[in-house]
């Protein structure tokens, strides 16, 4: 039994019963499966319904001849890759050249010699199978290269972003530490000086005219009162900067080789703080309202730096969608919003939902959102790697799921779920 053809069949196209008998006997003798068509139209219909591995095609037939049948098969994307061998009594060079120009791979002359038929069919079946195998290897290699590219970009982006933010946080630390540590003694000094001035006023109730004029021009009571307010404002501002520095360090936290229990809410809040400038009013766009509907999440084992990167990508995309909706005039009747919901589902997975009421995503594009290098944004505004990297982090590194639900003109919701243990 011949092992070249392991699946599929060979389609014989010939209107002559004798030729069909000879070809059928040759193929059956090798254990190859085959089907028969007696004209070009039925051959095309059969090939479209169920693609054969190879077609043996007679040139001279009633209706459309073999050349026209070949042309139509090669013009059809469904059948264009099927190898076609012409079977013909035409031995002139012009006919052969015409056949090859239409896409045929070989000629078998009539009358048939069974050994020649078997040899030529075997060669082209082997070539077809080798071609299919090479195409599969190319697809596999391409997929592997795309995956490796995404991983390299992800690692580089995370490393670069982490170093940048960690560096900023470190540089902020020293001056803010200096300010924070000096506020208490400054408050004490101001209180002491105020007390001293009050004692002077008690001991010397009638100062000289020069001092009286200076105190009047200075408005000393107001200055002393406002000085305390200024120091209090500096204290509040320094606390906010400290909080930002802490958030930056949390966002840029380097991951170890193992997952560590982390508070996802803290990571989300840190990311929102970093994106605060994008949430504020911008031109014609009002401030984006962020609604936090946090549930009770335990500390979840994860690579927190990479999880923060996922949050950053999804939140930044939500802001982009809202900006685009404003540009297209589709937000005049509603306030731009981002809603963040967290909870634990029945499968004991931490679920994070990030939804916006922006422009939405068409159905035809949703299936491609997580493909590397695919982006719905205008040229220059997106690399097509953000969602691909986010999907890879959630699915491959955290054994979770990432889904998208969107309606054009209404909004988009991304749902992330990762195991709690």
């Amino acid at each position: 039994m011949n092992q070249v053809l392991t699946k599929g069949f060979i389609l014989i196209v010939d209107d002559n019963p004798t030729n069909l008998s000879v070809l059928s006997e040759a193929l059956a003798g090798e254990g190859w499966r085959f089907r028969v068509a007696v004209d070009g139209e039925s051959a095309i219909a059969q090939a479209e319904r169920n693609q054969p591995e190879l077609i043996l095609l007679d040139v001279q037939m009633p209706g459309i001849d073999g050349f026209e049948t070949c042309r139509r098969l090669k013009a059809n994307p469904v059948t264009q890759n099927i190898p076609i061998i012409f079977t013909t009594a035409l031995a002139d060079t012009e006919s052969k050249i015409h056949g090859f120009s239409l896409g045929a791979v070989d000629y078998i002359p009539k009358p048939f010699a069974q050994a020649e038929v078997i040899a030529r069919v075997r060669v082209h079946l082997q070539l077809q199978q080798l071609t299919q195998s090479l195409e599969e290897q190319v697809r596999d290699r391409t997929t592997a290269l795309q995956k490796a590219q995404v991983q390299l970009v992800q690692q580089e982006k995370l490393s670069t972003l982490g170093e940048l933010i960690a560096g900023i946080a470190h540089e902020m630390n020293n001056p803010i530490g200096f300010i924070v540590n000096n506020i208490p003694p400054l408050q004490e000094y101001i209180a002491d000086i105020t007390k001293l001035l009050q004692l002077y006023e008690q001991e010397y109730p009638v100062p000289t005219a020069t001092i009286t004029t200076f105190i009047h021009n200075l408005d000393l009571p107001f200055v002393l009162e406002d000085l305390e307010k200024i120091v209090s404002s500096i204290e509040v501002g320094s606390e906010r900067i400290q909080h930002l520095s802490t958030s930056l360090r949390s966002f840029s936290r380097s991951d170890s080789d193992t997952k560590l229990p982390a508070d996802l809410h803290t990571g989300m809040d840190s990311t929102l703080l970093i994106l605060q400038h994008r949430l504020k009013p911008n031109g014609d766009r009002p401030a984006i309202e962020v609604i936090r509907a946090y549930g009770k999440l335990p500390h979840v084992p994860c690579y927190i730096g990479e999880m923060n990167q996922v949050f950053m990508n999804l939140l930044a995309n939500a802001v982009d969608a809202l900006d685009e909706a404003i540009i297209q005039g589709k937000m005049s009747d509603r306030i731009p919003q981002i809603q963040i919901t967290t909870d634990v589902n029945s499968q004991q997975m931490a679920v994070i939902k990030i939804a916006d009421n922006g422009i939405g995503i068409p159905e035809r594009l949703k299936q491609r959102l997580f493909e590397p290098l695919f982006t719905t944004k205008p040229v220059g505004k997106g690399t097509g790697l953000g969602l691909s990297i986010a999907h890879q982090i959630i699915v491959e590194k955290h054994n979770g799921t990432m889904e998208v639900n969107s309606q054009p003109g209404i909004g988009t919701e991304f749902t992330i779920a990762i195991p709690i243990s």
Side-chain angles (χ1 to χ4, degrees), residues 360-362 365-366 369 374-379 382 384 387:
I361 303 167
L365 300 180
K366 281 201 304 185
L369 280 183
F374 176 78
T375 179
T376 60
K377 297 177 182 178
V379 176
L387 286 178

Side-chain angles (χ1 to χ4, degrees), residues 169 186 262 271 354:
L186 178 60
T271 308
I354 299 176

Side-chain angles (χ1 to χ4, degrees), residues 147-163 255 306 309 385 389 392-393 397:
K147 184 177 179 181
Q149 179 189 31
V150 170
Q151 289 175 335
L152 287 172
V153 172
Q154 174 207 337
Q155 292 168 0
E156 184 63 26
K157 284 179 69 176
L158 191 60
S159 174
T160 303
L161 184 62
E163 289 176 5
D255 291 310
E306 296 189 5
Q309 187 182 11
L385 290 172
I389 290 172
Q392 192 177 88
I393 290 171
K397 301 204 73 172

Side-chain angles (χ1 to χ4, degrees), residues 279-292:
L279 301 174
K280 294 177 179 179
N282 180 16
D284 295 331
R285 193 208 72 196
I288 296 174
E289 180 181 350
V290 178
I291 302 171
R292 295 176 175 90

Side-chain angles (χ1 to χ4, degrees), residues 174-251:
N174 289 336
I176 194 60
F178 173 80
I179 295 171
V180 169
N181 292 330
N182 281 286
I183 287 175
L186 178 60
Q187 289 172 322
E188 292 179 10
Y189 298 156
I190 292 172
D192 290 341
I193 291 171
T194 301
K195 187 176 180 180
L196 177 61
L197 290 173
Q198 290 170 347
L199 287 174
Y200 263 103
E201 191 176 14
Q202 291 173 10
E203 295 295 326
Y204 301 98
V206 185
T208 65
T210 302
I211 294 175
T212 300
T213 301
F214 187 83
I215 291 175
H216 176 75
N217 292 336
L218 180 62
D219 195 357
L220 183 59
F222 170 79
V223 169
L224 292 176
E225 181 182 352
D226 197 46
L227 194 56
E228 292 181 7
K229 293 179 180 179
I230 291 173
V231 175
S232 296
S233 297
I234 293 173
E235 187 175 22
V236 171
S238 62
E239 287 175 356
R240 290 185 63 183
I241 297 174
Q242 267 192 318
H243 182 47
L244 176 60
S245 177
T246 302
S247 296
L248 288 171
R249 289 198 302 273
S250 173
F251 183 87

Side-chain angles (χ1 to χ4, degrees), residues 84-160:
I84 296 174
I85 299 177
F86 277 123
T87 60
T88 181
L90 299 176
D92 60 287
T93 302
E94 185 177 346
S95 295
K96 291 181 179 180
I97 292 173
H98 184 46
F100 285 128
S101 69
L102 291 171
V105 296
D106 206 350
Y107 266 88
I108 298 178
K110 296 178 182 179
F112 298 123
Q114 283 200 3
E116 182 178 4
V117 171
I118 292 168
R120 289 181 184 273
V121 169
R122 178 181 290 115
V123 166
H124 288 291
L125 287 175
Q126 289 174 334
L127 288 173
Q128 175 69 351
Q129 291 176 355
L130 285 171
T131 300
Q132 291 174 348
S133 176
L134 286 172
E135 289 175 349
E136 290 174 1
Q137 290 181 37
V138 168
R139 284 195 296 269
D140 291 343
R141 291 291 179 89
T142 301
T143 301
L145 286 171
Q146 285 183 334
K147 184 177 179 181
Q149 179 189 31
V150 170
Q151 289 175 335
L152 287 172
V153 172
Q154 174 207 337
Q155 292 168 0
E156 184 63 26
K157 284 179 69 176
L158 191 60
S159 174
T160 303

